[in-house]
Amino acid sequence: MTRRSFLAAAGLAGASPAAPVRRRTAMGTSPDSFPAHRMRAAHELLELCAEVGLGGCQASLASLEPDYARKLRRRKEELGLYLEVQTRLAGDDPAEFEQTVRMAREAGATSLRAVCLAGRRYETFSSLEEWKAAVAEFRKRIARTVPIVEKHRMPLGLENHKDWTLEEHLALLKEYSSEYLGVCLDTGNNISLLDDPMEVVEKLAPFTVNTHVKDMAVEEYGDGFLLSEVPFGDGLLDLRRVFALIRQARPNVNFSLEMITRDPLKVPCLTEKYWATLPDRAGVYLARTLRLVRANRPSRPLPRVEGLDTEARKRYERENVERCIEYARAHLGLA
């Protein structure tokens, strides 16, 4: 199947594809590395990966029809790319989630990725009671999800998505204790919850099903610190150690880049609202994180996109992805 015929089958016949380039890296990507491109569906992102020279992607299914899944699998295999499917945890009607699992397997996906909270804990909730109510709902969804992924033998990575602290995430994994429930290991998110990023990698690596790999830069501001994804090598993470720890624990895991080109995120850890849902975080966490921030002043200005038009944003995000690819090839064994 040619790219044009696949696009037609997927309802994208009006697209104007560029010729694929030779794969340059085994590293793949999440959709969030290309926010200005607005490509979140698997068939779109696979084509972009082929164009850029990436090794695969983590993306959503545009349809739960078997014909779509079969076409997607054929195209994935033609391009020689990996596929991981982003989805939601099982809701009140688990049948839809189970259909997603079936179609992910039909499409040749190796794993699923999901989150409990789409937003950020310290922004979404204003009280401990609100957080506890959300946790109760998350647990219901996880409890519905686990038997389905076990039935279909489809691993699911639950991302550390600025919701669970490291200790809470480890407790969840122990509580549900399933070989098919693991982690989508994001290498930078938990800095926002005052966790040590290397400790997060060390302790979650054994449970890793899939990944969001990134480098992070930080900078102080009045209410706390700013947090930004930055091109590999520009941030504070010891990426060689990060990748070595994950490879040692899970040799077959795919590395999916999440280089989000956006304005810096504010982590208001010096405000009362921030602490409302984190009563068990002792002052040592704050002190340790602020020391980390002060010891790692950014070598260049943090990325910002405010004021850029869509085409300028696309160029900027492609430039940042390109820099990550070159670093991964040169320093991380991902040629």
Side-chain angles (χ1 to χ4, degrees):
M1 178 183 291
T2 66
R3 181 176 180 190
R4 185 170 297 280
S5 63
F6 180 79
L7 290 169
L12 297 172
S16 53
V21 300
R22 182 177 61 86
R23 194 177 82 176
R24 299 155 58 207
T25 177
M27 180 175 65
T29 188
S30 81
D32 288 325
S33 294
F34 298 95
H37 286 73
R38 300 186 182 279
M39 289 187 176
R40 307 203 68 84
H43 62 273
E44 298 172 310
L45 204 57
L46 284 173
E47 300 296 342
L48 185 58
C49 286
E51 177 188 329
V52 175
L54 290 159
C57 69
Q58 194 179 100
S60 303
L61 297 177
S63 169
L64 296 183
E65 293 299 320
D67 189 53
Y68 172 81
R70 287 191 289 268
K71 289 184 172 73
L72 188 62
R73 183 181 194 126
R74 286 200 296 271
R75 187 56 176 157
K76 177 191 79 72
E77 292 173 351
E78 286 174 354
L79 295 172
L81 304 178
Y82 75 79
L83 174 64
E84 299 169 344
V85 168
Q86 293 189 345
T87 186
R88 297 178 180 179
L89 296 172
D92 293 335
D93 180 6
E96 182 177 354
F97 175 76
E98 185 161 15
Q99 180 67 1
T100 300
V101 177
R102 289 194 184 99
M103 292 304 99
R105 182 169 291 285
E106 184 72 24
T110 54
S111 65
L112 306 172
R113 169 263 182 189
V115 300
C116 286
L117 179 66
R120 305 173 190 112
R121 175 171 174 171
Y122 48 88
E123 293 176 349
T124 305
F125 306 104
S126 299
S127 69
L128 185 59
E129 291 70 27
E130 291 176 356
W131 168 246
K132 287 182 176 179
V135 167
E137 180 60 27
F138 298 155
R139 290 180 179 278
K140 290 178 184 177
R141 289 175 175 267
I142 295 170
R144 296 186 197 111
T145 296
V146 170
I148 296 172
V149 294
E150 288 180 336
K151 174 183 174 181
H152 294 277
R153 299 185 178 183
M154 175 61 82
L156 181 143
L158 190 63
E159 185 178 346
N160 51 314
H161 198 250
K162 299 185 177 77
D163 44 13
W164 306 108
T165 65
L166 173 59
E167 293 85 356
E168 290 166 343
H169 208 141
L170 289 169
L172 274 178
L173 295 169
K174 181 177 180 181
E175 177 181 349
Y176 291 96
S177 187
S178 171
E179 65 177 303
Y180 293 100
L181 178 67
V183 176
C184 175
L185 176 52
D186 186 293
T187 59
N189 277 349
N190 275 55
I191 297 173
S192 69
L193 297 179
L194 312 181
D195 280 321
D196 177 84
M198 291 310 305
E199 184 182 7
V200 170
V201 174
E202 289 171 0
K203 292 188 175 178
L204 292 185
F207 305 97
T208 296
V209 169
N210 37 50
T211 63
H212 283 171
V213 290
K214 57 181 66 171
D215 202 353
M216 307 300 294
V218 290
E219 184 177 299
E220 281 193 90
Y221 87 109
D223 285 336
F225 62 93
L226 305 176
L227 182 66
S228 286
E229 289 86 357
V230 292
F232 284 176
D234 284 1
L236 60 87
L237 296 183
D238 182 348
L239 291 177
R240 288 184 178 87
R241 187 173 172 221
V242 165
F243 279 69
L245 286 167
I246 297 171
R247 283 190 175 108
Q248 182 179 8
R250 306 288 282 190
N252 297 320
V253 76
N254 294 315
F255 292 103
S256 296
L257 176 68
E258 191 176 55
M259 172 61 245
I260 311 178
T261 299
R262 58 181 169 184
D263 290 347
L265 301 178
K266 293 180 178 180
V267 182
C269 59
L270 300 179
T271 65
E272 289 186 20
K273 182 176 185 291
Y274 177 88
W275 292 92
T277 65
L278 291 162
D280 298 326
R281 300 264 90 174
V284 65
Y285 291 91
L286 177 62
R288 181 181 64 187
T289 303
L290 290 180
R291 284 198 304 270
L292 180 75
V293 171
R294 290 165 184 168
N296 290 277
R297 299 182 189 279
S299 58
R300 61 178 72 194
L302 300 182
R304 284 177 167 80
V305 299
E306 185 178 4
L308 298 181
D309 62 27
T310 299
E311 290 307 312
R313 288 191 181 200
K314 286 182 178 181
R315 288 192 297 272
Y316 191 17
E317 67 190 25
R318 284 288 288 264
E319 174 188 330
N320 287 339
V321 168
E322 286 289 332
R323 290 181 58 198
C324 290
I325 291 173
E326 291 307 315
Y327 190 98
R329 286 170 53 84
H331 302 291
L332 301 175
L334 284 167

